Amino acid sequence: INLPYGIIAEKSFGEVILCAGRCDDEKAEIHITQKELEALSATGEQKNIKLSADGSYVTLCIQDFNGKMDEIPKKPYTKWFDYDKINSVTIRFRKDGDRITPLGMKGSKKLKDIFIDMKIPQEKRNKIPLIQFDDDISWIIGVKMSDKFKITKETKKILRISVKRK
């Protein structure tokens, strides 16, 4: 229900949720082209991208990798990816039929099944942002990373992606 002053009331599983503006996160996709990635790589600068109206943002940074696997951080909101396997980056939310090859697995798995296995409530699933490289989902932010873009000993450059939430 749309209320005065841009307030929206939404009923979900017996609860009423009040939101300023939209109750769901922005559904627009954010694309970072290969040219933009190359420019980041050449300058060594970071790129900050606003993720949602709540002030969350994603930071992308490309840097050389020295091959020391023990220096890779184990943080849920910072991941390192093999830059040489990436042509473009898209930040988006899930769509029906989305699949990912989770770290340590050979085959792919539906995002829906991952969310069910991890007991993520249905009303939160569409609000979890995804990082996609080319046509492959590489990271369900804060949940799972893809095996396809992991760092190996042969990796020369990395793409570090950090998410800061308010």
Side-chain angles (χ1 to χ4, degrees):
I1 298 172
N2 292 318
L3 301 172
Y5 306 107
I7 303 294
I8 295 174
E10 184 178 279
K11 183 180 177 189
S12 176
F13 293 98
E15 293 182 332
V16 175
I17 301 167
L18 297 175
C19 307
R22 295 172 53 165
C23 284
D24 57 349
D25 285 316
E26 295 295 325
K27 298 299 179 202
E29 294 183 0
I30 301 165
H31 298 283
I32 297 98
T33 64
Q34 187 172 16
K35 276 188 175 182
E36 291 174 294
L37 289 173
E38 288 171 359
L40 274 180
S41 180
T43 62
E45 294 178 3
Q46 294 186 149
K47 181 173 183 79
N48 293 320
I49 301 163
K50 186 177 177 183
L51 188 58
S52 65
D54 70 356
S56 300
Y57 63 94
V58 174
T59 302
L60 295 120
C61 180
I62 298 167
Q63 56 196 72
D64 291 328
F65 182 63
N66 60 13
K68 294 184 180 176
M69 301 295 283
D70 58 336
E71 291 182 12
I72 299 172
K74 304 284 191 263
K75 298 178 181 177
Y77 292 101
T78 299
K79 296 295 178 198
W80 292 16
F81 300 93
D82 190 332
Y83 173 70
D84 298 323
K85 297 177 183 175
I86 300 165
N87 292 315
S88 65
V89 178
T90 302
I91 302 168
R92 66 175 181 86
F93 294 89
R94 80 179 180 131
K95 298 175 187 170
D96 287 340
D98 274 343
R99 300 181 80 83
I100 188 172
T101 303
L103 204 57
M105 281 184 66
K106 295 288 182 211
S108 66
K109 194 169 183 177
K110 284 185 179 180
L111 267 59
K112 177 182 177 179
D113 295 335
I114 290 171
F115 291 144
I116 290 169
D117 292 348
M118 297 189 74
K119 296 180 176 44
I120 294 173
Q122 193 170 15
E123 64 272 11
K124 291 185 179 183
R125 296 175 192 172
N126 289 335
K127 297 179 182 184
I128 298 173
L130 309 172
I131 303 291
Q132 176 179 312
F133 299 145
D134 306 323
D135 294 326
D136 294 309
I137 295 172
S138 58
W139 184 23
I140 307 167
I141 295 178
V143 180
K144 290 263 187 221
M145 186 176 142
S146 172
D147 198 67
K148 291 183 179 184
F149 303 96
K150 68 181 178 185
I151 303 281
T152 64
K153 292 179 182 178
E154 291 78 38
T155 301
K156 303 276 189 262
K157 284 189 170 192
I158 58 150
L159 171 62
R160 185 191 63 195
I161 301 178
S162 300
V163 178
K164 303 284 185 197
R165 295 184 170 244
K166 291 280 181 171

